[in-house]
Amino acid sequence: MTDFRKVIEENPIVKNIADCREIFWINPDCRERGKWNQGEEKLVDIDEAEARLLRFAPFIERVFPEVKGGIIESPLTEIPWKVISEKGSGRLFLKQDSHLPISGSIKARGGIYEVLKLAETLAVSAGLLKYDPETGEHESYASLADPDMREFFSGYKVAVGSTGNLGLSIGIISAAIGFHVTVHMSSDARQWKKDMLRSKGVTVVEYPDDYEAAVAQGRREAEADTTCHFVDDENSLDLFAGYSVAGKRLKAQLEEKGITIDKDHRLYVYLPCGVGGAPGGVTYGIREYFGDNAYCFFAEPTHAPCMTLGLATGLFERISVGDIGIDGKTEADGLAVGRPSALVAAAMQSRLNGCFTVEDERLYPYLAALKDATGIFIEPSACAAFQGIKYIEDEALKYSDIPEPDDNSVNILWATGGNMVPQAEKQAYYRRGKQAETLLT
Ligand SMILES: *Cc1c(COP(=O)(O)O)cnc(C)c1O
């Protein structure tokens, strides 16, 4: 048994986390390329994942005609510094995963990838889809949307536990393929997400408890049923692989803009973190493609700082925010997670540069400022990233080995969700941001 009181007493940063103070933590175990935990061995094969997404492009385009070319990708948009309120160093971009097609959040990367892979595996092994992994030869995956294939897929089930957005992503793609899908929703999930899923024929089971309980229940039910595939947000390498493709795509996107990242043109990326899968997979991909010229930081709410806590104590998934007396309650519903993914914590220990925490009150003013300056709406969870760049401009890196951003730097705020939010909710969030702004000034 770990004595959590002792963990708090012995580590000043943990004491601050336990007191729900805003902190910026530099990861002392972050290493350069070649010295990452798995050494040269790769955790996931990004090229293979990307190739699979390409195979599915004709299917995606057939089922979701609005997705041009069948490629699920988001814009990288330069935004004015005034969103952060003061001029920072270098250029500032918003990676709009908030506007990813199909499910309007970063979960469209990992979630859709895992369900597509499942569909491919089932169809190939039943002899209903020709794909030769040796040569890469295959028939068009567009045929997977034929009625007889839907009939075939309807013999299988998919289940997932979620705070909301993963449920949306898994629910929508599974229903589009023809799987029977059940989403186990935690109490933090917003009502409109449950309503939207039900309208698409998804079974939604609600829990009075937190995310961890919803996932555990989903896992239990799926285990008892051999036709059911459980999407394990806490441990899935397929989810992780889907997210990691973002690193490769980002590199191409920057090159399109004439931007090359090297040691004189460094990349700084700020990513909101819940259980860790999405920002962890993206960070994995970024580090693979940009190596030691990229610096990645996770953003968490002061009331649900699970990855910060897991990494700062070195206890990973063996410590939860509840263990140090934090309630896990936050307006950032997508980040309302009390215990980090074991898989992701281990992968991030040697790859992530740091973590920071943000009070909920900061989210809405950023939401409103972004909307005012650019017309872009993102959800409160996605705004957690913004404060990180403020901390860094305010010398958070002063006593670290990490070079501070300069005029040549590229800064990316990873906007993780927002496009699916109903209009009335968008307006309410925005108004709240404007009110808070007035209170602040
Ligand atoms: C899920 C989610 C995250 C974090 O992803 P995790 O895999 O839970 O760490 C961040 N922002 C939004 C909007 C999300 O839905």
Side-chain angles (χ1 to χ4, degrees):
M1 256 324 261
T2 310
D3 180 352
F4 295 112
R5 263 220 321 264
K6 210 162 138 224
V7 173
I8 299 174
E9 275 161 23
E10 285 173 356
N11 191 336
I13 193 100
V14 179
K15 175 83 174 75
N16 282 332
I17 296 171
D19 291 342
C20 291
R21 294 221 185 91
E22 290 187 325
I23 57 140
F24 194 102
W25 174 75
I26 306 270
N27 178 9
D29 297 319
C30 187
R31 310 252 179 278
E32 60 256 49
R33 191 196 277 287
K35 295 188 180 164
W36 293 330
N37 283 358
Q38 293 77 15
E40 294 301 315
E41 198 185 314
K42 295 209 186 316
L43 209 54
V44 290
D45 187 336
I46 298 177
D47 290 328
E48 185 198 298
E50 154 108 305
R52 178 166 289 112
L53 290 170
L54 287 175
R55 288 199 293 281
F56 269 98
F59 168 81
I60 294 290
E61 199 172 27
R62 181 171 169 199
V63 181
F64 301 97
E66 70 279 13
V67 186
K68 298 275 175 302
I71 299 297
I72 301 161
E73 195 42 70
S74 73
L76 177 68
T77 308
E78 187 151 22
I79 60 170
W81 276 104
K82 70 172 178 219
V83 173
I84 310 294
S85 82
E86 60 206 58
K87 171 84 180 79
S89 314
R91 296 173 73 177
L92 181 62
F93 290 88
L94 190 72
K95 179 60 176 157
Q96 286 181 260
D97 277 7
S98 47
H99 292 68
L100 274 172
I102 300 178
S103 76
S105 83
I106 193 167
K107 306 299 192 312
R109 296 185 183 279
I112 291 177
Y113 176 78
E114 174 152 348
V115 175
L116 294 179
K117 184 178 171 190
L118 172 69
E120 181 186 60
T121 307
L122 290 171
V124 169
S125 56
L128 298 170
L129 175 70
K130 287 196 188 62
Y131 162 59
D132 182 348
E134 293 294 314
T135 63
E137 263 175 66
H138 61 87
E139 64 183 293
S140 171
Y141 280 32
S143 65
L144 293 180
D146 292 346
D148 56 327
M149 286 310 297
R150 280 192 65 85
E151 175 71 31
F152 167 71
F153 289 126
S154 74
Y156 296 90
K157 298 179 196 138
V158 173
V160 65
S162 170
T163 58
N165 284 339
L166 184 63
L168 276 184
S169 153
I170 299 287
I172 294 171
I173 190 68
S174 298
I177 288 174
F179 291 131
H180 283 286
V181 52
T182 303
V183 177
H184 300 266
M185 286 280 203
S186 65
S187 57
D188 308 281
R190 304 270 158 126
Q191 188 59 41
W192 68 264
K193 294 182 182 174
K194 301 174 199 170
D195 296 342
M196 183 178 287
L197 282 171
R198 289 192 173 118
S199 78
K200 293 181 191 294
V202 174
T203 306
V204 177
V205 186
E206 298 180 54
Y207 293 88
D209 306 315
D210 67 359
Y211 161 87
E212 218 183 317
V215 172
Q217 186 56 28
R219 187 183 287 123
R220 248 192 314 277
E221 284 185 22
E223 267 167 6
D225 183 344
T226 51
T227 64
C228 186
H229 177 83
F230 178 65
V231 177
D232 190 341
D233 199 13
E234 290 170 328
N235 300 295
S236 168
L237 273 173
D238 287 341
L239 280 179
F240 197 81
Y243 292 124
S244 73
V245 173
K248 185 172 187 174
R249 301 260 183 89
L250 179 64
K251 181 151 197 200
Q253 235 169 4
L254 285 168
E255 277 166 7
E256 258 167 47
K257 293 185 189 295
I259 298 172
T260 309
I261 299 301
D262 56 33
K263 75 178 192 339
D264 299 318
H265 301 81
R266 296 181 299 270
L267 179 64
Y268 294 81
V269 188
Y270 304 87
L271 304 121
C273 176
V275 74
V282 171
T283 295
Y284 179 89
I286 286 176
R287 295 284 267 159
E288 285 295 317
Y289 281 88
F290 300 95
D292 304 328
N293 300 317
Y295 299 87
C296 296
F297 302 93
F298 284 0
E300 292 189 294
T302 49
H303 281 254
C306 67
M307 188 62 76
T308 310
L309 181 64
L311 290 175
T313 56
L315 290 170
F316 298 176
E317 82 290 359
R318 299 186 304 283
I319 189 167
S320 81
V321 301
D323 292 332
I324 60 167
I326 301 180
D327 60 11
K329 297 249 177 302
T330 169
E331 291 289 325
D333 51 332
L335 316 181
V337 177
R339 191 186 297 278
S341 154
L343 162 77
V344 177
M348 290 303 105
Q349 182 185 39
S350 57
R351 288 180 177 83
L352 185 68
N353 295 93
C355 298
F356 56 90
T357 60
V358 183
E359 280 177 12
D360 281 6
E361 293 91 275
R362 296 199 193 270
L363 306 176
Y364 294 96
Y366 281 131
L367 185 153
L370 180 70
K371 176 82 178 124
D372 284 343
T374 65
I376 299 170
F377 174 88
I378 64 175
E379 64 185 87
S381 296
C383 298
F386 290 44
Q387 187 65 16
I389 209 159
K390 251 320 227 306
Y391 290 150
I392 283 200
E393 292 292 332
D394 291 348
E395 310 192 333
L397 299 181
K398 201 166 176 190
Y399 301 102
S400 80
D401 298 335
I402 304 171
E404 284 172 25
D406 59 25
D407 289 347
N408 290 331
S409 299
V410 172
N411 306 281
I412 298 181
L413 300 171
W414 211 281
T416 42
N419 198 34
M420 302 275 277
V421 177
Q423 202 54 35
E425 318 265 333
K426 282 185 180 168
Q427 276 162 359
Y429 291 160
Y430 176 78
R431 271 199 302 275
R432 213 171 139 176
K434 294 306 273 186
Q435 273 162 6
E437 253 173 31
T438 336
L439 289 178
L440 287 175
T441 46

